[in-house]
Amino acid sequence: MTESAWKTSITNIGPGKIEIRGYPIDQLMEKKSFAETIFLVLKGELPTEAESEMFEAILISSVDHGISPPSVLGARNSISAGNPLNAAVAAGVLSIGDIHGGAIEQAAKIMQEWAKKDGASKDLAQQLVDDFSSKKRRMPGFGHRLHKTDPRTLKLFEKAARLDFTGRHIELCKEIEAALEAKTGRRLPINVDGAIAAVISDMGFDYRLGKGFFILSRTAGMIAHIFEEWTTQRPMRKLGDTNCEYVGPDSRGV
Ligand code: LMR
């Protein structure tokens, strides 16, 4: 047999056969939920009952947040301009950035690096906040333009505690929140991105999957927004804040 140049461990297909990580797809369809199957493709094994409940909550938490987030505005603008649904979904996904949704990856990277260091979480959090402040770096995953207390964060942490996932990363995340408040005198609450970053880190996920969780969840909401825009609004309508003042140069010749 010749050695294949390209190997994959995700799905084995053949005529009449589709096996995800070794499990026949029809058995997954019969016995497992969508969230459990996503966990399987991403992590390689089926989740335990606790992992399944936690993962389900993570996916639900980011499903939608109204019309104002950049990804939804991007998606609605794209369909409003006359693009097909797939282009509008892509426009929405491309509007996810380091600050919107992308903070999961950045925060998880930082938490995973710092949680490996020796020392109590409280001391590490203090060092991290001092270090970031001296470099004028912003800690991703903290602060929200609307919520002082985000119900998604509370629920994720409550479930993580009940299901016994609270480990070094969640502890560090909570200590960072306290250290940030002590340093700045302002409460910068852990936002949903920060909470997901901490929970997926305690669940053993690689931080590089961070944006993936947000995309998986928010795509459902975006499709609903795209469909609503498409079917109930006139094309090319004014979307976004129209209260805009021009502050550039006065009218001039070339
Ligand atoms: C979201 O879930 O998209 C939001 O938390 C972002 C925002 O500020 O609307």
Side-chain angles (χ1 to χ4, degrees), residues 90-103:
V93 171
L94 288 172
S95 307
I96 289 169
D98 283 347
I99 294 164
H100 170 46

Side-chain angles (χ1 to χ4, degrees), residues 4-77:
S4 327
W6 190 14
K7 300 186 194 314
T8 175
S9 56
I10 304 169
T11 304
N12 190 7
I13 57 162
K17 173 170 111 171
I18 306 168
E19 288 177 357
I20 313 275
R21 305 280 192 193
Y23 294 107
I25 194 128
D26 51 322
Q27 289 184 23
L28 293 170
M29 290 161 72
E30 182 66 29
K31 299 195 175 136
K32 296 294 164 191
S33 68
F34 186 41
E36 286 169 322
T37 308
I38 294 175
F39 187 100
L40 173 67
V41 279
L42 293 180
K43 211 133 191 261
E45 294 298 337
L46 282 165
T48 61
E49 251 178 60
E51 284 171 328
S52 167
E53 186 177 337
M54 193 71 242
F55 197 65
E56 183 86 40
I58 290 173
L59 291 181
I60 294 173
S61 69
S62 298
V63 80
D64 196 38
H65 192 257
I67 52 164
S68 62
S71 52
V72 170
L73 284 173
R76 288 187 93 123
N77 268 309

Side-chain angles (χ1 to χ4, degrees), residues 131-150:
D131 182 55
F132 273 51
S133 151
S134 70
K135 294 177 182 147
K136 303 220 173 330
R137 271 182 78 187
R138 190 177 160 271
M139 177 65 202
F142 291 80
H144 197 279
R145 60 183 172 151
L146 181 66
H147 308 296
K148 290 275 167 282
T149 306
D150 191 326

Side-chain angles (χ1 to χ4, degrees), residues 99-151:
I99 294 164
H100 170 46
I104 301 175
E105 177 187 318
Q106 294 187 327
K109 181 171 191 277
I110 295 164
M111 287 173 199
Q112 290 180 17
E113 277 167 12
W114 281 75
K116 281 200 202 100
K117 298 182 194 252
D118 290 333
S121 301
K122 195 176 165 76
D123 300 335
L124 287 176
Q126 190 59 59
Q127 284 169 33
L128 185 154
V129 167
D130 289 345
D131 182 55
F132 273 51
S133 151
S134 70
K135 294 177 182 147
K136 303 220 173 330
R137 271 182 78 187
R138 190 177 160 271
M139 177 65 202
F142 291 80
H144 197 279
R145 60 183 172 151
L146 181 66
H147 308 296
K148 290 275 167 282
T149 306
D150 191 326

